[in-house]
Amino acid sequence: MAGVGTDGDIASCLHENAGGSESVYANGKALSMVGVSTAGGGLIGMAEGGIVTVKANGSDVAVEGSPIGSHGDSPHAAAQTGAGSDTVFSG
């Protein structure tokens, strides 16, 4: 299982996750959600091999390794969410 993403996590492109849930939290930080949150570009899907088992406000919860929409040249072209929570998991 992978740690859930939260606002403030650092993506592979060095942008911070932002725009998470206004009502669902992990470790006191808003959960990152596919199709809602951003990290330079929008979070566009689940991590490779990821299984969607958790939703927040009707959206899939992002986990470590979730792809981020292209928003520039490398490393922004194929960025992924960074390390998620080390105590809250989805899988």
Side-chain angles (χ1 to χ4, degrees):
M1 283 198 255
V4 298
T6 58
D7 278 5
D9 292 347
I10 304 298
S12 64
C13 59
L14 303 182
H15 285 106
E16 288 187 11
N17 289 359
S21 174
E22 294 181 6
S23 60
V24 183
Y25 299 86
N27 306 112
K29 298 191 289 185
L31 284 182
S32 296
M33 301 176 297
V34 174
V36 177
S37 301
T38 63
L43 276 57
I44 58 172
M46 290 303 296
E48 186 173 323
I51 299 171
V52 180
T53 57
V54 178
K55 292 188 180 288
N57 307 114
S59 296
D60 297 336
V61 171
V63 296
E64 180 177 347
S66 294
I68 299 168
S70 178
H71 54 283
D73 295 331
S74 183
H76 308 282
Q80 297 179 339
T81 55
S85 172
D86 59 358
T87 59
V88 182
F89 303 94
S90 173

